[in-house]
Amino acid sequence: MPARAIILDCDPGQDDAVAIFLALASPTELEVLAVTTVAGNVPLALTEANARRLVEAVGSTVPVHRGCGRPLLRELATAEHVHGATGLDGSGLPPPQRPLAPGHAVDAIVDLVTARPTGSVTLVATGPLTNIAMALVKEPALAERLEGIVLMGGAIGLGNVTPAAEFNFYVDPHAADIVFRSGVRITMFPLDVTHEVLVTPARLQRIDALGTPAARAVTGMLDFYRRHGRTGGAEEGPLHDPCTVAWLLAPELFSGRECHVAIETASPLGIGRSYVDWWQTGNRPANALVMNEADAAGFFDLVVERLARL
Ligand code: BDR
Ligand code: CA
């Protein structure tokens, strides 16, 4: 089997960082064509620099593109209270040396997907969906050409930034709406499943014990992140974004259901909510495979095994 070509669209973010590391540690299964960055956890100037810091930290030369600096219609909402002022607090990584790749992230997505055979590129999205919605608007044929989009976002149940909404969809609900209406095959990792893969002290210890610079950076980041996340103050915190890449590597670790998903863009109280029609109440065709269960032990075995390669 040739490696699956992916573009990683992200807003690093400590959990985005682990997703990037997992992908770059898996060249047999995944060919990372580009890392594209978007404003989200912190402003774009930081997310794009963080992506370069991470790529450089593991000796990769994959191009990093700068994308959209704000959501389609709303003001940017960020999450320094979770990720720290840099977005990558705890990593100890130096500033980047290599420049950004030329060209806007939206153009890079359109061009890379268009240049390859239909059905051969998968988008992995771990931030607000602004770049991806823009790419689908700029080149609607992308919807047909993509193999699919694997994304972290939304919730079947409770939100984490409001009672109704998860952060990525809350930041750019209009972009999420465009993506879910696009007809692209979507695999969605909502909070319900990402809250099953918890960073515990014992799991952190396993990563730390690898003793490599990459493992040290991950240990520092996740130690910060688990203490500042939604379960702040507790010993354990969810590891959202790497679920996407882990599924591409080992789909048997997760299970879910084909559902229709709609995004709330109007209600002030509910904005950004994902309405997951789990019980098929509406007779609308499914537009996403929505995950709700994870094998947490297997997931962390995979994370440790892949980080050991870096
Ligand atoms: C998502 O929001 C961000 O803070 C994380 O990086 C993740 O993508 C979780 O709601
Ligand atoms: Ca993210």
Side-chain angles (χ1 to χ4, degrees), residues 253-305:
L253 293 176
F254 301 92
S255 59
R257 187 183 283 197
E258 297 280 349
C259 299
H260 184 270
V261 180
I263 309 297
E264 177 65 66
T265 56
S267 149
L269 266 180
I271 192 136
R273 172 145 195 83
S274 44
Y275 299 109
V276 177
D277 194 0
W278 192 257
W279 300 113
Q280 251 193 302
T281 61
N283 250 346
R284 287 157 302 193
N287 57 357
L289 170 58
V290 181
M291 298 303 185
N292 74 325
E293 281 180 12
D295 168 358
F299 171 86
F300 278 95
D301 286 347
L302 177 71
V303 169
V304 171
E305 186 247 317

Side-chain angles (χ1 to χ4, degrees), residues 39-44 75-83 161 167 171:
N41 287 323
V42 285
L44 182 64
E75 292 292 314
L76 176 65
T78 53
E80 286 85 356
H81 60 290
V82 176
H83 298 272
V161 61
F167 179 80
V171 171

Side-chain angles (χ1 to χ4, degrees), residues 9 35-38 65-68 103-110 131 135:
D9 190 75
V35 174
T36 54
T37 55
V38 68
H65 295 267
R66 189 173 193 273
C68 295
H104 194 279
V106 172
D107 296 322
I109 292 170
V110 171
N131 289 338

Side-chain angles (χ1 to χ4, degrees), residues 14-234:
Q14 292 90 347
D15 59 332
D16 304 76
V18 180
I20 293 172
F21 279 5
L22 264 189
L24 293 176
S26 309
T28 308
E29 295 96 341
L30 301 176
E31 179 193 3
V32 184
L33 301 179
V35 174
T36 54
T37 55
V38 68
N41 287 323
V42 285
L44 182 64
L46 289 166
T47 60
E48 62 88 347
N50 288 343
R52 287 185 288 142
R53 292 164 79 191
L54 292 160
V55 164
E56 286 175 25
V58 295
S60 167
T61 55
V62 66
V64 176
H65 295 267
R66 189 173 193 273
C68 295
R70 50 156 287 181
L72 297 184
L73 299 181
R74 278 155 68 78
E75 292 292 314
L76 176 65
T78 53
E80 286 85 356
H81 60 290
V82 176
H83 298 272
T86 67
L88 222 48
D89 282 25
S91 77
L93 294 175
Q97 299 300 311
R98 291 182 53 236
L100 280 164
H104 194 279
V106 172
D107 296 322
I109 292 170
V110 171
D111 294 347
L112 285 165
V113 176
T114 306
R116 299 224 160 196
T118 295
S120 66
V121 180
T122 303
L123 294 185
V124 178
T126 61
L129 292 166
T130 320
N131 289 338
I132 294 176
M134 289 279 285
L136 286 163
V137 169
K138 185 171 186 202
E139 182 45 272
L142 230 55
E144 300 266 294
R145 297 195 69 95
L146 280 168
E147 188 277 332
I149 300 175
V150 184
L151 61 87
M152 189 281 136
I156 303 169
L158 294 172
N160 63 354
V161 61
T162 71
E166 179 279 332
F167 179 80
N168 289 335
F169 288 5
Y170 175 82
V171 171
D172 201 338
H174 303 95
D177 181 48
I178 288 171
V179 170
F180 276 86
R181 287 171 186 268
S182 69
V184 181
R185 215 158 79 132
I186 295 172
T187 306
M188 168 173 161
F189 287 83
L191 293 174
D192 314 76
V193 69
T194 66
H195 277 254
E196 288 193 5
V197 293
L198 298 176
V199 179
T200 63
R203 287 170 176 161
L204 212 49
Q205 177 53 40
R206 283 183 69 194
I207 296 172
D208 196 33
L210 295 173
T212 62
R216 262 200 307 281
V218 170
T219 308
M221 286 191 282
L222 294 188
D223 191 37
F224 181 94
Y225 188 55
R226 82 188 159 109
R227 287 183 288 108
H228 292 79
R230 188 40 53 186
T231 50

